[in-house]
Amino acid sequence: MSAIILGIGIIAFMCFLNAVDPFRHLRITIHNQSDYELTNIQTSLTTGGNSFNTKKGSLHLLEENIPSGEDLKFAPQLQVSGESSVYLTFTNSRGETYNEVVCGYTEYLSGNSYVTVTNENVTVKEECM
């Protein structure tokens, strides 16, 4: 009987985590499926739909690089006030720089964004609020 109660408790806890997940601080997961290391990784917060209107204090630089075949999950430390967008900028080891929107609209910096980098392109799946 205690095994059944424990099983139900575990299932209930997992459902709770899945329900709360979109409301946690924004997390970005980068899947580097390319043949190149990703460097100079930074996130920035902009307002008004203009990537040149970056607010002071709204830039987060990562110290880590992402080797080929590796993943990195992080929560960017950005200051939000009102309607904003989150951009991810990085350079690959060939010297090519990418600037991708990872959260097109947010007021709370919550949810998840998944970035997949291949040799051919970069795809972003946004689940942010």
Side-chain angles (χ1 to χ4, degrees):
M1 185 62 148
S2 61
I4 293 172
I5 293 172
L6 180 62
I8 291 171
I10 290 172
I11 291 170
F13 181 71
M14 296 302 287
C15 290
F16 172 76
L17 288 180
N18 287 337
V20 172
D21 191 52
F23 301 102
R24 293 173 51 184
H25 189 78
L26 177 65
R27 289 167 300 169
I28 299 171
T29 303
I30 303 172
H31 304 285
N32 184 5
Q33 298 175 356
S34 75
D35 295 329
Y36 309 101
E37 181 175 41
L38 305 182
T39 62
N40 303 321
I41 303 163
Q42 65 182 18
T43 54
S44 60
L45 190 68
T46 61
T47 60
N50 182 346
S51 63
F52 299 107
N53 188 20
T54 304
K55 292 182 174 184
K56 184 178 181 181
S58 61
L59 183 69
H60 178 83
L61 302 171
L62 286 177
E63 300 289 328
E64 301 124 283
N65 294 335
I66 307 174
S68 174
E70 298 289 322
D71 298 338
L72 177 68
K73 184 181 212 176
F74 67 99
Q77 302 302 307
L78 302 169
Q79 303 291 323
V80 67
S81 61
E83 301 173 359
S84 303
S85 298
V86 179
Y87 289 81
L88 174 71
T89 304
F90 60 89
T91 303
N92 67 20
S93 55
R94 290 190 299 184
E96 300 170 328
T97 300
Y98 297 85
N99 187 28
E100 302 292 326
V101 177
V102 292
C103 188
Y105 176 84
T106 185
E107 290 184 38
Y108 306 106
L109 284 178
S110 61
N112 297 288
S113 286
Y114 304 95
V115 180
T116 303
V117 180
T118 65
N119 290 342
E120 292 79 32
N121 60 23
V122 177
T123 58
V124 177
K125 179 182 176 191
E126 296 180 38
E127 297 175 354
C128 54
M129 298 180 178

